[in-house]
Amino acid sequence: MMRPLAPVFLMLVSLSLFWHDVSAAPPATHPSEEEEEVVYRPPAAATGSARIGGGSRTGSAAPSIAVLAPEHVGLSGSPRPKLYWFCAKATNLPCEFSLVNAQTNQTITRVVLNEPIDVGWQKIDLQQLGVELERDQTYDWTVSIVVSPDQRSENPVARGAIQHVLLPVATIEEPPVRQAARRAGAGLWYDAIDLLMGQIDSDPAARRALAGLLRQVKLDEAADFAEKQ
């Protein structure tokens, strides 16, 4: 098991930790009657509003951003999940990612990315960052575009919440979209998103399922982007 990072860990990382989708996607096709429907069923205990948006002020050079997270605390069956967020337009501004234990208010990691960010999906791989979530602990994860290091109120900020849980889902040899449907139906939001993200370049059905999943949690701008790819 990998050891958690120090309370505050500040580092520059390569663009490989934050991934964006720039490849040409195959032309969309009409869904068949047998196409898998991916329906998210929130956990029974899901309450409150953990997600905040990342809209930019009028006239700001910063893009609007959104974390691909439900409005409540989302679940993952992995202690080292991948987190995704959406950037509405390309930017050369720095981006900051932070992960905080919501129970202890301890900053687990803070990472600054100074590489250009393209429009579309961005990925944060906790395994590459050397971070492992403790089971049944809630973590707030935040992405911000650094317009002004001194006036942080000027920086667009998007935040979600995640909890690693022991919630087994049957491992069956089946298509990734169907696997994503199983996990979404079990309430494992982050795992379902990761499965679909791995297929959107090659499978139009995965892109449509991703768009539908995002609309279910009111992430319409990101859903529109998925549908146009």
Side-chain angles (χ1 to χ4, degrees):
M1 180 179 292
M2 303 180 71
R3 296 176 61 187
L5 297 186
V8 178
F9 178 62
L10 180 61
M11 62 181 290
L12 297 180
V13 294
S14 67
L15 191 58
S16 64
L17 297 182
F18 288 72
W19 166 79
H20 55 270
D21 177 21
V22 295
S23 59
T29 59
H30 296 291
S32 68
E33 292 182 359
E34 298 181 356
E35 187 166 303
E36 189 74 29
E37 184 179 10
V38 179
V39 177
Y40 175 57
R41 291 184 171 83
T47 59
S49 180
R51 189 183 73 204
I52 63 172
S56 60
R57 296 188 177 186
T58 302
S60 171
S64 63
I65 58 177
V67 294
L68 302 194
E71 294 179 296
H72 49 266
V73 177
L75 304 182
S76 173
S78 170
R80 296 176 293 275
K82 298 178 181 67
L83 308 175
Y84 294 86
W85 58 284
F86 172 73
C87 190
K89 67 178 183 180
T91 182
N92 290 320
L93 291 168
C95 173
E96 182 178 281
F97 164 72
S98 64
L99 182 73
V100 176
N101 186 309
Q103 272 77 40
T104 65
N105 205 34
Q106 176 190 28
T107 299
I108 306 303
T109 188
R110 183 179 291 121
V111 177
V112 176
L113 174 70
N114 286 305
E115 299 291 337
I117 299 171
D118 209 339
V119 62
W121 317 119
Q122 320 298 323
K123 179 175 71 175
I124 303 165
D125 190 332
L126 294 189
Q127 183 168 0
Q128 289 189 30
L129 286 175
V131 174
E132 183 169 305
L133 306 181
E134 295 183 36
R135 198 194 323 172
D136 299 326
Q137 291 285 302
T138 299
Y139 296 83
D140 293 326
W141 63 284
T142 303
V143 175
S144 63
I145 302 297
V146 184
V147 178
S148 171
D150 300 322
Q151 300 290 330
R152 299 187 72 85
S153 61
E154 299 291 328
N155 301 338
V157 176
R159 185 185 70 212
I162 185 170
Q163 187 177 104
H164 165 46
V165 295
L166 186 61
L167 190 60
V169 177
T171 302
I172 303 173
E173 192 68 30
E174 57 188 356
V177 175
R178 183 164 298 175
Q179 293 182 41
R182 285 182 181 276
R183 282 154 180 78
L188 296 172
W189 168 270
Y190 290 99
D191 303 353
I193 287 289
D194 186 43
L195 279 164
L196 294 175
M197 282 292 183
Q199 299 297 313
I200 57 174
D201 286 347
S202 59
D203 186 356
R207 286 186 285 109
R208 288 190 292 270
L210 176 64
L213 200 55
L214 295 174
R215 289 206 189 282
Q216 291 172 44
V217 297
K218 304 176 184 178
L219 289 170
D220 291 332
E221 186 176 19
D224 290 342
F225 181 82
E227 290 175 343
K228 293 174 183 176
Q229 292 300 287

